[in-house]
Amino acid sequence: MAKPKIVIGNWKMNKDFEEAEDLITKIEEELADYQLQTEVVLCPPAVYAELVTDHASLEDSRFYAGLQNVSEFPNGAYTGEISAEMLASMDVDFCIVGHSERRKFFGETDEIVLKKMHRLLDNQIVPVMCCGETLEERKAGKHFEVVGKQIEATICTLKPEELERTMIAYEPIWAIGTGETATPAQAQEMLAFIRSLIEKKFGTELAVYTYILYGGSCNAKNALELFSQPDVDGGLIGGASLKPEDFIKIIEAAETVIKDN
Ligand code: PGA
């Protein structure tokens, strides 16, 4: 059987409380009729964590609870921060780390990203580590070098048993929120490259097992072709995850690919 896909919704800093409640309810209702093989994760803003964890903890829930960021520090005097211990105590299963918006606007370096990954792993939460190059870097032909360095500095330093509980999302920065998606060939090429780095360091079995997702203007129209690429294990979805109809179509695309393989 084909490897199940993963579709993760990254809401970023959007929706008020009522809208968030509404979106979760709609997605839950839509998914109620499905026998899903695809794993679905919703990552709302942290202030709404309980909305998703409450739903995700139901026996017949169709999705997992995720968040978008975590502190690099353990509990203590860090005003405004949210710790991995807190996430764990609320049964959050996944957490995005190193998103390019955090790297750009909040100065997150690979070193900080790695600390956050360890905080999550120590608390049994799956880190979804984002990597990707800028348009300038791609135009200069440096995309493999840039992404390779991000992977070497984070993923390749993990122990095999830590990598087993970690996911990667390749998100070319020029494709995020721009409507300009990487072509399926570009996505496949980079994901295969990332997998080859993992294979070199950890061996074939773990490289095949590791979930590597594509993100960046993935939508209801292009998801099927993107998910059909052999190395694309699913998607990290921003804008389209805020519209239930579109998000469901993306999940349906993932299901179609699993069933056809
Ligand atoms: P987008 O965002 O789908 O709106 O391009 C993806 C992401 O940043 O995770």
Side-chain angles (χ1 to χ4, degrees):
M1 204 192 72
K3 191 174 169 186
K5 303 270 181 209
I6 304 234
V7 174
I8 303 180
N10 173 14
W11 294 11
K12 310 196 179 184
M13 198 169 74
N14 289 298
K15 302 286 176 194
D16 66 22
F17 183 73
E18 239 172 72
E19 289 166 346
E21 223 173 4
D22 199 43
L23 182 51
I24 290 172
T25 310
K26 278 200 182 125
I27 291 169
E28 192 170 63
E29 281 169 6
E30 290 283 340
L31 292 181
D33 299 334
Y34 286 83
Q35 282 302 329
L36 284 184
Q37 292 185 56
T38 302
E39 295 200 347
V40 179
V41 183
L42 301 186
C43 301
V47 70
Y48 307 141
E50 209 169 344
L51 284 181
V52 267
T53 53
D54 273 358
H55 285 261
S57 64
L58 299 174
E59 209 176 298
D60 56 353
S61 171
R62 295 288 191 275
F63 57 79
Y64 292 91
L67 287 178
Q68 304 166 19
N69 184 33
V70 69
S71 175
E72 71 205 77
F73 301 110
N75 281 342
Y78 301 101
T79 302
E81 289 288 275
I82 298 176
S83 70
E85 289 89 337
M86 293 172 190
L87 267 53
S89 74
M90 295 194 68
D91 293 328
V92 170
D93 306 297
F94 292 79
C95 186
I96 299 168
V97 272
H99 190 283
S100 62
E101 287 150 15
R102 296 219 51 91
R103 292 179 190 255
K104 179 175 171 194
F105 299 121
F106 303 96
E108 275 185 24
T109 59
D110 285 331
E111 203 184 353
I112 295 173
V113 171
L114 183 60
K115 279 189 190 161
K116 292 184 175 198
M117 289 167 67
H118 280 295
R119 301 291 319 130
L120 293 168
L121 288 164
D122 289 351
N123 285 279
Q124 316 309 321
I125 298 164
V126 175
V128 181
M129 206 288 292
C130 301
C131 57
E133 81 286 355
T134 63
L135 186 58
E136 292 68 39
E137 288 162 344
R138 179 160 281 261
K139 279 187 177 157
K142 291 190 170 151
H143 41 297
F144 291 115
E145 185 188 326
V146 170
V147 172
K149 273 194 189 142
Q150 291 171 334
I151 295 291
E152 297 282 354
T154 54
I155 296 295
C156 288
T157 70
L158 298 178
K159 298 189 184 107
E161 60 271 26
E162 291 169 334
L163 180 59
E164 268 174 24
R165 298 185 283 123
T166 300
M167 293 186 186
I168 301 164
Y170 167 61
E171 299 203 307
I173 295 166
W174 46 272
I176 296 177
T178 58
E180 192 180 331
T181 323
T183 63
Q186 284 171 325
Q188 167 57 27
E189 184 183 43
M190 184 59 86
L191 267 59
F193 169 70
I194 294 171
R195 211 178 289 285
S196 75
L197 295 179
I198 295 173
E199 184 170 19
K200 232 182 268 166
K201 168 85 200 208
F202 297 96
T204 308
E205 201 181 328
L206 197 43
V208 172
Y209 175 89
T210 301
Y211 269 83
I212 313 180
L213 317 180
Y214 169 80
S217 297
C218 182
N219 58 39
K221 288 204 181 105
N222 59 30
L224 184 64
E225 215 188 330
L226 284 163
F227 294 168
S228 301
Q229 303 305 308
D231 281 290
V232 179
D233 295 323
L236 180 54
I237 319 297
S241 73
L242 298 171
K243 301 177 208 137
E245 333 62 71
D246 290 16
F247 192 56
I248 301 298
K249 281 191 190 137
I250 293 171
I251 296 166
E252 283 171 347
E255 287 288 291
T256 304
V257 176
I258 300 170
K259 290 197 178 111
D260 287 354
N261 279 285

